[in-house]
Amino acid sequence: MNSDVVTAADYPQLAFNPSDYFSPAGFEQMADLGHVQALIKSLTSGYGTDAATFTGGRALTVESLDKVLQDVLWTEEHVKLFKALRKSPVFATVDQWVERSDYGSEFGVAVAETANPEIVTATMTRRYAEVKYYRDRRSVSHVLTLLNNIEEAEAEEETAGTRRILGRIEADLFTGNDTVFSTRIRGLQSIIATQGGDLVQDAHGDAVDTQDLFHLLAGVIYKEAGKLTEVYYNPMCQADIDSALQVAQRIMVPTTTADGKIVVGATQTSLATAYGVIDFHPDIFVRAGWEMQAPNVAVGPSAPSAPTVNSVTGNAGTIYNQTNLPAGTYYVRVSAVSETGESAASTATAVALQAGKTIQISVSPGAVVPTGYRVYLSAVDASSGADCRFHEEVAYTGSPQTITIDGHWVTGSTTIFCLSTAPAQGAIDFRQLLPLMKMPLAVTEPVIPFLLNLYGYLRVRKPNWHAMIKNVVPNVVQDQGWKPLG
């Protein structure tokens, strides 16, 4: 598993290296004392808050937290995909790369003894992506820095802030929606869904409790010259994946640990296919729709205004997949979202969905316009709107806006991600602008404030080497009462 991080060494043009001046080989450069004097001044000056008093600069205010990031990554067992991805530095806020979709057909390679083959036109597309900026602002009481009851209070907050940033990035790597939240990473669910075809398998609200789909997707990716290496999923799916083990594969021999405990059974952590070995990773940051119930109060530091649902109909449009959205009665709730929060959801509205039709929701924003909406639905033929869970989120496009629910998604489900993450394949990586940084802020009260910054984005150079199984509802979730399809 690759756990490298981008460090200050990746940006030599922005870093001061004392060895350039003070190593035996660098004494000839001592004539250029400007850099040395600037460094000494930066290290000896105070931070200050009044810019009018600065005469030639101020203290160094940006601190690299490379070691903090490395320590947190190694000790944080829940952040798995970010830890596995190869990290590479990026040197602009807009990054470009070339994506090759094929290498040519079978024809025109074998030719006569003295003949030249026809020129092959490369099938390549130029892609670009914007760096996203993840920040966490913290402060520590000045008094806490003077006492011994909390050891290294500022360092403790650095670690906590780093964990929060990593958790948000980890979740967005999977389901980040940059059409709704423009400041977030575009996640794998959106990228893979664009590819479509055999790379997207639909569980139709069932649990994935056989190995068939993993063998199928490994073969699909292998045909594209890739190799499926990792599978990430919500931990609630683990029991079903374990049950997918065939009888001949089960080893139930009890083992005794060093502390005397007897352990019976085994969890499936890998699967050998005809196309290589796949490793399985339960990840708490993979979205679980059944855990996301319609909020009755606003969430976040500054939520947009609650929307107004003008009407809900179930007798228009053409259904995409009736299996995922059976005809019957549903209760619908809608909330407004932006990067700063989510409003309370609207009052539940009942709608009768006819066979072959879609649910169409006319909605208008409140005074504070959102960047998107989240739609929550009940299970089909539910007795009331008391239990509405996450169905999908859509970008805000105007007022009023019609949202169409057509069976692409199963309410309260999750997605299993099947990825090619080996660094040597170059199919996916995390492009990072600068190392994790700490910026001290102006002290205007008896607290020490600072800002943590991690900039980057997910680059998928070979999107046809990644797949997903969508609309999965684990058996344990169904056993606990959530059965969206009735």
Side-chain angles (χ1 to χ4, degrees):
M1 182 171 290
N2 191 35
S3 59
D4 58 323
V5 297
V6 172
T7 68
D10 294 306
Y11 296 87
Q13 77 279 15
L14 302 178
F16 178 88
N17 187 357
S19 66
D20 291 341
Y21 298 93
F22 304 117
S23 65
F27 280 119
E28 294 181 1
Q29 301 179 45
M30 284 295 290
D32 181 13
L33 292 177
H35 290 83
V36 180
Q37 292 171 349
L39 176 64
I40 293 174
K41 181 174 182 178
S42 296
L43 293 175
T44 56
S45 301
Y47 288 123
T49 57
D50 185 2
T53 64
F54 300 151
T55 58
R58 62 181 299 184
L60 290 173
T61 58
V62 178
E63 175 186 353
S64 171
L65 297 182
D66 298 340
K67 188 176 186 303
V68 174
L69 181 57
Q70 289 174 328
D71 290 344
V72 171
L73 276 177
W74 278 112
T75 57
E76 177 54 76
E77 64 180 72
H78 298 302
V79 176
K80 297 182 178 181
L81 180 56
F82 183 82
K83 187 185 298 185
L85 292 178
R86 181 175 70 91
K87 317 301 185 303
S88 58
V90 61
F91 302 98
T93 57
V94 178
D95 194 25
Q96 299 186 62
W97 69 94
V98 173
E99 179 183 297
R100 180 185 292 275
S101 58
D102 71 68
Y103 295 91
S105 71
E106 65 175 292
F107 302 103
V109 178
V111 297
E113 179 182 355
T114 59
N116 280 325
E118 296 291 331
I119 295 176
V120 176
T121 302
T123 306
M124 294 185 293
T125 305
R126 182 173 293 279
R127 302 292 188 188
Y128 78 93
E130 298 177 356
V131 168
K132 304 299 183 180
Y133 310 98
Y134 287 75
R135 297 188 173 109
D136 188 79
R137 188 165 66 177
R138 301 265 164 167
S139 63
V140 178
S141 164
H142 178 255
V143 175
L144 286 180
T145 66
L146 307 177
L147 303 177
N148 294 326
N149 57 336
I150 298 182
E151 184 177 355
E152 298 292 340
E154 190 169 349
E156 180 72 20
E157 286 301 297
E158 289 177 1
T159 300
T162 301
R163 289 182 186 276
R164 184 185 180 206
I165 290 175
L166 289 177
R168 185 64 262 162
I169 290 178
E170 181 83 355
D172 286 346
L173 289 175
F174 294 114
T175 51
N177 188 338
D178 62 343
T179 64
V180 175
F181 306 101
S182 61
T183 55
R184 296 187 184 182
I185 291 170
R186 185 188 182 200
L188 286 162
Q189 181 166 282
S190 175
I191 295 171
I192 298 172
T194 302
Q195 297 297 304
D198 290 339
L199 294 172
V200 179
Q201 297 295 318
D202 197 332
H204 300 298
D206 288 335
V208 176
D209 51 10
T210 73
Q211 300 175 358
D212 295 346
L213 288 178
F214 300 117
H215 287 281
L216 170 64
L217 291 175
V220 169
I221 292 173
Y222 196 80
K223 184 179 179 181
E224 297 287 339
K227 183 179 180 182
L228 174 56
T229 59
E230 316 281 340
V231 175
Y232 292 85
Y233 47 88
N234 186 274
M236 283 290 190
C237 297
Q238 185 67 62
D240 297 321
I241 291 175
D242 290 344
S243 69
L245 285 168
Q246 299 173 11
V247 174
Q249 296 172 318
R250 296 181 179 275
I251 300 175
M252 304 299 291
V253 178
T255 59
T256 303
T257 62
D259 58 1
K261 293 181 179 179
I262 297 178
V263 180
V264 179
T267 295
Q268 179 166 338
T269 58
S270 300
L271 174 65
T273 73
Y275 316 99
V277 176
I278 307 171
D279 293 331
F280 289 79
H281 305 283
D283 192 315
I284 64 171
F285 292 103
V286 175
R287 174 184 284 165
W290 60 84
E291 294 179 348
M292 300 172 62
Q293 294 190 329
N296 294 317
V297 296
V299 182
S302 181
S305 304
T308 299
V309 174
N310 306 311
S311 63
V312 183
T313 61
N315 56 3
T318 302
I319 194 71
Y320 170 77
N321 192 309
Q322 195 83 70
T323 302
N324 296 338
L325 193 71
T329 300
Y330 293 87
Y331 288 87
V332 178
R333 300 184 69 182
V334 181
S335 69
V337 294
S338 69
E339 187 52 53
T340 56
E342 179 178 7
S343 74
S346 61
T347 303
T349 302
V351 59
L353 174 64
Q354 297 180 6
K357 304 300 182 179
T358 66
I359 296 176
Q360 296 191 343
I361 309 164
S362 174
V363 60
S364 299
V368 179
V369 177
T371 59
Y373 296 108
R374 281 182 174 171
V375 177
Y376 298 84
L377 296 183
S378 69
V380 63
D381 294 329
S383 58
S384 72
D387 188 5
C388 293
R389 309 199 189 190
F390 178 79
H391 184 84
E392 66 178 290
E393 57 190 14
V394 298
Y396 172 78
T397 59
S399 175
Q401 176 177 346
T402 299
I403 301 173
T404 299
I405 306 300
D406 60 2
H408 271 87
W409 302 100
V410 170
T411 304
S413 62
T414 188
T415 300
I416 296 176
F417 297 90
C418 304
L419 311 177
S420 303
T421 62
Q425 294 180 325
I428 183 173
D429 62 355
F430 186 83
R431 297 280 278 171
Q432 188 173 326
L433 178 65
L434 301 176
L436 175 67
M437 297 176 295
K438 173 187 174 184
M439 291 182 177
L441 302 177
V443 178
T444 59
E445 53 187 354
V447 297
I448 300 174
F450 57 89
L451 194 66
L452 300 180
N453 308 269
L454 185 57
Y455 308 151
Y457 77 95
L458 177 68
R459 180 175 67 172
V460 180
R461 298 182 65 183
K462 298 175 181 177
N464 56 338
W465 287 15
H466 311 284
M468 69 182 187
I469 307 170
K470 68 176 187 176
N471 295 328
V472 178
V473 181
N475 280 316
V476 65
V477 174
Q478 298 182 48
D479 293 342
Q480 291 172 350
W482 178 246
K483 297 181 180 179
L485 307 182

Short mmCIF file of all heavy atoms in Angstrom, two decimals, residues 176 188 306 346:
data_model
loop_
_atom_site.label_atom_id
_atom_site.label_comp_id
_atom_site.label_asym_id
_atom_site.label_seq_id
_atom_site.Cartn_x
_atom_site.Cartn_y
_atom_site.Cartn_z
N GLY A 176 -17.78 12.58 -4.13
CA GLY A 176 -17.77 14.03 -4.29
C GLY A 176 -18.52 14.45 -5.54
O GLY A 176 -18.30 13.91 -6.63
N LEU A 188 -15.25 9.37 -7.58
CA LEU A 188 -15.26 8.20 -8.47
C LEU A 188 -16.65 7.83 -8.96
O LEU A 188 -16.82 7.38 -10.09
CB LEU A 188 -14.63 7.01 -7.74
CG LEU A 188 -13.11 7.08 -7.58
CD1 LEU A 188 -12.65 6.13 -6.49
CD2 LEU A 188 -12.42 6.76 -8.90
N ALA A 306 -34.61 26.80 3.66
CA ALA A 306 -35.37 25.60 3.29
C ALA A 306 -36.13 25.86 2.00
O ALA A 306 -36.66 26.95 1.78
CB ALA A 306 -36.33 25.24 4.41
N SER A 346 -38.14 19.63 3.54
CA SER A 346 -39.54 20.03 3.43
C SER A 346 -40.45 19.00 4.10
O SER A 346 -40.04 17.87 4.37
CB SER A 346 -39.92 20.17 1.95
OG SER A 346 -39.77 18.92 1.28
#
